Amino acid sequence: MTAYVIYQGVIHDAERYAEYVSQVGPNITGAGGRFVVVGGDGEALEGELPTERTIILEFPSRQAALDWYSGEDYTRIRKIRQSAARGNLYVLDGVD
């Protein structure tokens, strides 16, 4: 079953976050994932947008997403993001 990794956060160090961005794309695709949404300019239809940045990644399965997240390469890259932004990151199963 397809799984989605969702990140919603606020960037507090744009230069450091740019370093993260330069490394994370190939890391995600190399793990079988793909970007579905890379957004910072949303429009609330009801309520308010939760954060300044929302990213949605698609992986072929929850296990693939978990393997990517806990993998050695992403663990190193993740530390860059964590030092440059704060937010929530979670995985949800899709509907197949």
Side-chain angles (χ1 to χ4, degrees):
M1 176 179 297
T2 303
Y4 297 89
V5 172
I6 301 168
Y7 174 75
Q8 295 175 311
V10 176
I11 299 165
H12 57 78
D13 183 339
E15 187 174 309
R16 187 95 168 117
Y17 194 83
E19 180 182 347
Y20 169 76
V21 169
S22 73
Q23 297 179 44
V24 75
N27 177 262
I28 290 167
T29 57
R34 73 178 188 95
F35 287 94
V36 177
V37 172
V38 179
D41 184 21
E43 182 175 337
L45 301 177
E46 295 184 18
E48 297 178 21
L49 293 173
T51 61
E52 103 184 8
R53 178 159 308 268
T54 298
I55 310 290
I56 301 175
L57 308 174
E58 180 183 77
F59 285 88
S61 67
R62 179 183 288 229
Q63 190 59 53
L66 295 173
D67 290 346
W68 161 76
Y69 181 79
S70 63
E72 186 177 324
D73 286 340
Y74 186 67
T75 296
R76 178 184 50 77
I77 297 168
R78 178 176 66 226
K79 291 176 183 175
I80 299 169
R81 176 183 48 80
Q82 291 170 332
S83 72
R86 63 179 166 71
N88 299 306
L89 186 128
Y90 47 94
V91 62
L92 299 170
D93 291 329
V95 179
D96 285 343

